[in-house]
Amino acid sequence: MSCASEIAKNVWLGPTPDSALCPSSSDANEEPTFDIFIEASDLTQPPEARLLDRVGDLSLDAPQRLEFPSSGSIMPQKWPKAGPLDPVTQMCQWIHSVANPSAMSDLDDDDETDQDGDIAMRTLRPRARKVLIHCTDGYTESSLLALAYFMYAERVPVHAAWLRLHCEKKRNFFAYSSDVALLSSLQARILELSPGPNDGIAGCLLEEPAWLSRMDGSLPSRILPYMYLGNLGHANNPQLLRAMGIKRVLSVGEPISWTKGQVESWEAKNLLFVDRVQDNGVDSLTKDFERSLGFIGKGRDEGTATLPHLRFAYELLKWDEVLQKIRGQPVRREMDWATIAHEIAAMNRPYSRNLWTGYDEDDV
């Protein structure tokens, strides 16, 4: 995503600001001004409680910076219920405390006096801090913490956080299967301690939907209002696509593996398979552009989104943009070309990470 946006009160998700990378190049028009920057990083461990307390105090006077493990970096494990909080829930709790500070004593506006003639005291709220959860591209490394905090702040289960952060908050993100397992294992504790409204739970079923167990952690990424970028795994999870509002699938080279009942429920007109070509970066796809763009365009005209996947989506988007420019139509994309290329690479490349397990090497 090209800019930060608020995902919960006073908590934002977005790319690392230029001013954080190079303080001398800060843009006077950059809004909002953040008090706490939390960067998601592969090479860090969760901050200790003492550090969080210190950063919280210092942030009242000057911007502060923290790091937290990135998506895919914390493996699911069992934390004892009677022991200290797990690092994810502890971080969410701390972020909420600085973004939504509790009341303290202060002078009352009416300057009322007590029985001894002293000025009465009223409650004082420490200044709420604006928090930015960030990484270079605005979503890849920061997705785990963003999803966890959304669960905590809104008191919603894992599957609802995935959908609402994307569909309501309009954020693309890239999590991993280990993130799904981790947050599922922490869900009960997060919801139990959440200060969010009870209707967050009432508004959605705690029982996980079928699509969650088939998801690798990532969602298709919205490039245009009517066009998503996804992989074959996404295409083979029709329940997830429906939940996201995607109602048409364009498959290139590899057919989708759906049951007969799933195909019938979607109707043949909403499915297109381009065969005799592989989405391998070598075979020419040019001859299929017109038919494919017509399929996507029909969905656009009907107000529905289409999912083509991988490299073909990149080339279709390029060609569609050329046609829009020829027609004099405005070009609207939610990602720049570098980010789109990064998405395609991410969906095709296995990841290797330094995983934080909660134990230091010296403890082993």
Side-chain angles (χ1 to χ4, degrees):
M1 302 293 288
S2 59
C3 62
S5 63
E6 195 170 18
I7 62 171
K9 185 179 180 181
N10 291 325
V11 177
W12 298 62
L13 176 64
T16 301
D18 292 339
S19 59
L21 298 172
C22 182
S24 61
S25 66
S26 59
D27 186 351
N29 295 321
E30 184 180 339
E31 290 291 342
T33 301
F34 298 106
D35 301 293
I36 299 175
F37 297 82
I38 303 176
E39 181 176 10
S41 171
D42 291 341
L43 305 176
T44 192
Q45 293 186 1
E48 296 181 353
R50 287 175 298 176
L51 175 60
L52 294 178
D53 291 341
R54 178 171 174 77
V55 168
D57 292 338
L58 293 175
S59 65
L60 289 168
D61 301 315
Q64 301 295 311
R65 289 175 170 78
L66 274 174
E67 290 187 344
F68 191 81
S70 62
S71 305
S73 293
I74 301 179
M75 289 292 96
Q77 58 183 288
K78 291 185 177 180
W79 279 278
K81 293 182 178 180
L85 282 179
D86 64 88
V88 177
T89 306
Q90 176 180 266
M91 191 67 175
C92 293
Q93 210 172 45
W94 177 79
I95 293 173
H96 192 274
S97 72
V98 296
N100 305 271
S102 58
M104 295 177 64
S105 62
D106 186 20
L107 293 177
D108 187 74
D109 291 336
D110 296 330
D111 291 339
E112 296 180 355
T113 58
D114 59 19
Q115 294 178 358
D116 299 324
D118 297 325
I119 297 176
M121 304 297 287
R122 70 174 175 84
T123 57
L124 166 69
R125 293 183 182 277
R127 179 174 64 84
R129 270 63 51 92
K130 287 186 176 179
V131 180
L132 174 66
I133 300 171
H134 68 95
C135 61
T136 303
D137 63 13
Y139 65 99
T140 306
E141 286 82 11
S142 57
S143 293
L144 169 62
L145 183 55
L147 286 161
Y149 185 75
F150 192 82
M151 289 175 61
Y152 181 82
E154 299 293 326
R155 192 177 290 199
V156 294
V158 171
H159 63 274
W162 247 263
L163 288 180
R164 287 183 55 186
L165 194 58
H166 179 78
C167 298
E168 293 181 15
K169 300 301 180 179
K170 308 301 182 183
R171 299 302 308 188
N172 287 323
F173 50 88
F174 200 97
Y176 297 83
S177 56
S178 61
D179 297 328
V180 179
L182 173 66
L183 294 180
S184 295
S185 69
L186 298 178
Q187 176 174 283
R189 174 64 68 89
I190 290 176
L191 299 183
E192 176 188 357
L193 299 176
S194 169
N198 289 323
D199 58 1
I201 294 295
C204 58
L205 296 175
L206 280 176
E207 182 180 355
E208 68 178 45
W211 58 259
L212 186 63
S213 63
R214 303 189 61 187
M215 183 181 67
D216 62 3
S218 68
L219 294 182
S221 294
R222 181 177 47 246
I223 304 174
L224 294 167
Y226 56 87
M227 183 173 169
Y228 278 72
L229 171 65
N231 56 32
L232 188 61
H234 297 140
N236 278 323
N237 198 344
Q239 296 96 334
L240 171 62
L241 302 184
R242 276 202 184 279
M244 295 181 64
I246 299 171
K247 299 179 180 179
R248 298 168 70 83
V249 177
L250 170 58
S251 187
V252 180
E254 297 177 296
I256 53 178
S257 301
W258 290 12
T259 65
K260 181 179 179 181
Q262 289 171 333
V263 172
E264 291 176 349
S265 68
W266 277 62
E267 300 184 17
K269 67 177 183 179
N270 293 318
L271 304 173
L272 176 61
F273 174 48
V274 176
D275 57 358
R276 298 186 302 277
V277 65
Q278 292 296 312
D279 188 9
N280 55 16
V282 177
D283 292 352
S284 173
L285 303 172
T286 309
K287 58 182 175 55
D288 296 296
F289 277 177
E290 185 174 354
R291 177 166 62 124
S292 300
L293 285 175
F295 178 76
I296 294 171
K298 183 173 177 58
R300 176 196 59 207
D301 296 341
E302 294 176 353
T304 61
T306 301
L307 176 80
H309 57 86
L310 301 180
R311 183 179 66 92
F312 194 43
Y314 184 89
E315 296 190 7
L316 279 174
L317 187 62
K318 277 276 193 182
W319 184 244
D320 190 38
E321 194 163 293
V322 169
L323 295 179
Q324 289 181 38
K325 289 179 179 179
I326 292 175
R327 302 188 198 106
Q329 298 174 339
V331 175
R332 295 175 55 208
R333 270 186 284 110
E334 298 196 16
M335 293 182 176
D336 56 31
W337 289 117
T339 303
I340 294 172
H342 171 77
E343 279 277 303
I344 294 172
M347 291 180 183
N348 279 298
R349 185 182 66 244
Y351 282 80
S352 60
R353 294 184 174 273
N354 295 319
L355 301 177
W356 185 82
T357 62
Y359 302 96
D360 294 328
E361 291 182 2
D362 296 338
D363 297 332
V364 179

